[in-house]
Amino acid sequence: MLAELSPSAAGVPAPAARRPLHVVINAGSGEHDAQQTQAVLEEVFQAAGHDAQFMRLGDPADLAEACERAAARAADDGGVLVAAGGDGTINMAAAAALRHGCALGVIPQGTFNYLARDHGIPLDAEAAARALVRARPQPVQVGLVNDRVFLVNASLGLYPQVLQDREAFKARLGRRRWVALLSGVATVFRWHRRLRLEVDLDGVRTMLTTTTLFVGNNRLQVEQVGLEEDVAQRTGRGRLAGIVTRPVGAWTMLWLALRGALGRLGDADQVQTFSFHELQVRVLGARRVKVATDGEVLVMAPPLRFAAAAQRLLLMTPVPEDRVPRE
């Protein structure tokens, strides 16, 4: 259920120099206790002189509405929409922040937290909150697949199915990284589909047959899987990174996943990587296709347009002394 809005510094007016904070907490993200997270954030924000209002969610179905309400209020009072959750929660908050033109703050609570890690935001909630109260807005690139926002990655083919199966495994075994690995292996051995794609890459049209198409907007993730340096360096700077795998068997796909984990995916013969600004994709023989954006799976109707958005997201990023190393 959607918790009532509660000011963290009731009766204490926020200094004029302090932006109001509108905090959305997803209780379903990671293994964190949402009530405890709120208590930690309230203490930090109040001590720093910030007026903060909280919406703590127990039902993911309420997330979109909560983000819209918080973003609208942040736009009205010059405040910041703060998302406490994983990549999916932050994705939804970012979309709302873009629509309303407000800044976004992040308290990472997920499994991988690529956005936070790429921008030096601490992964501990208290440390992230302390960094946030001194943070400054910085424009960062947003990816789009049709009209859907993604901050980290978007994909079709095998990867969305891996994500769907992972959620089912996590529901039974818990939200841990080894569970994600186990479910991924199981999906690879069950997956036999091939996608026939007609792609227009920055004006050049070609045909591809693949098991998965992966588009990255997060430079840290692209670097960690080991794409070519020129592709990685251009990601997030007006360009996106594309990865296409040639049709291969389950064992080869697992071998490619291992190479990615070791940071050596880019030089595998079975993988094609490229940098682009816009990619048009038609999926032959399919009226609808599963697409994953920042860990959330939805169904979309082709053609699909992947592009670096013209509008930038104002992300509250730590000052240098509060940043943690990218890893």
Side-chain angles (χ1 to χ4, degrees):
M1 298 292 293
L2 190 62
E4 291 295 322
L5 285 167
S6 58
S8 70
V12 180
R18 299 288 188 259
R19 291 188 179 197
L21 304 175
H22 302 269
V23 188
V24 177
I25 301 177
N26 183 359
S29 294
E31 298 179 310
H32 304 272
D33 180 272
Q35 186 172 356
Q36 182 179 1
T37 296
Q38 180 172 336
V40 168
L41 300 185
E42 285 180 329
E43 182 178 356
V44 173
F45 295 156
Q46 184 171 0
H50 281 271
D51 176 52
Q53 295 183 317
F54 289 82
M55 286 184 278
R56 192 172 69 242
L57 308 175
D59 185 350
D62 293 328
L63 184 59
E65 178 193 352
C67 289
E68 286 294 323
R69 289 169 56 190
R73 291 174 180 178
D76 287 342
D77 63 14
V80 178
L81 166 58
V82 180
D87 286 336
T89 302
I90 295 167
N91 172 293
M92 195 163 291
L98 284 166
R99 279 190 290 271
H100 291 274
C102 67
L104 175 70
V106 170
I107 307 295
Q109 301 269 281
T111 304
F112 297 104
N113 303 307
Y114 274 114
L115 178 72
R117 291 161 57 199
D118 196 24
H119 292 280
I121 298 171
L123 300 186
D124 174 75
E126 182 176 353
R130 294 188 185 281
L132 176 60
V133 298
R134 295 173 5 123
R136 299 291 182 267
Q138 175 182 328
V140 299
Q141 178 172 290
V142 171
L144 291 175
V145 50
N146 291 355
D147 59 353
R148 177 82 176 196
V149 165
F150 63 94
L151 301 174
V152 180
N153 58 58
S155 60
L156 61 151
L158 173 61
Y159 192 62
Q161 191 62 48
V162 167
L163 294 177
Q164 277 197 327
D165 293 347
R166 185 178 75 186
E167 290 306 308
F169 270 67
K170 285 183 176 180
R172 297 196 302 269
L173 301 175
R175 304 186 71 85
R176 299 176 178 88
R177 291 196 181 193
W178 70 264
V179 174
L181 177 62
L182 177 63
S183 67
V185 171
T187 304
V188 166
F189 276 96
R190 291 198 305 266
W191 182 264
H192 301 291
R193 290 190 59 192
R194 302 289 184 266
L195 299 176
R196 295 176 59 237
L197 308 178
E198 181 182 274
V199 302
D200 188 325
L201 174 60
D202 288 337
V204 179
R205 183 170 298 180
T206 189
M207 299 292 298
L208 295 172
T209 301
T210 183
T211 52
T212 192
L213 167 64
F214 183 92
V215 175
N217 183 56
N218 183 274
R219 189 154 56 98
L220 176 63
Q221 185 182 45
V222 169
E223 289 173 350
Q224 288 189 336
V225 299
L227 298 198
E228 292 89 343
E229 184 176 354
D230 63 328
V231 173
Q233 290 300 315
R234 296 165 80 183
T235 301
R237 300 175 178 177
R239 310 282 287 182
L240 300 170
I243 304 175
V244 174
T245 58
R246 296 186 175 90
V248 294
W251 286 108
T252 302
M253 185 61 68
L254 290 177
W255 176 74
L256 292 174
L258 177 61
R259 290 183 69 95
L262 295 174
R264 298 182 54 197
L265 185 63
D267 58 1
D269 293 338
Q270 298 85 357
V271 172
Q272 178 182 355
T273 64
F274 48 92
S275 177
F276 68 93
H277 175 71
E278 181 175 335
L279 179 70
Q280 298 274 358
V281 178
R282 294 172 179 80
V283 184
L284 303 184
R287 294 183 178 180
R288 300 179 73 79
V289 63
K290 291 179 183 178
V291 178
T293 56
D294 293 346
E296 304 297 319
V297 180
L298 62 155
V299 177
M300 302 182 74
L304 306 174
R305 175 182 177 269
F306 297 87
Q311 184 182 5
R312 296 275 175 142
L313 173 69
L314 287 177
L315 178 68
M316 301 299 293
T317 56
V319 295
E321 53 266 40
D322 293 335
R323 292 177 64 88
V324 296
R326 294 169 71 247
E327 58 180 24

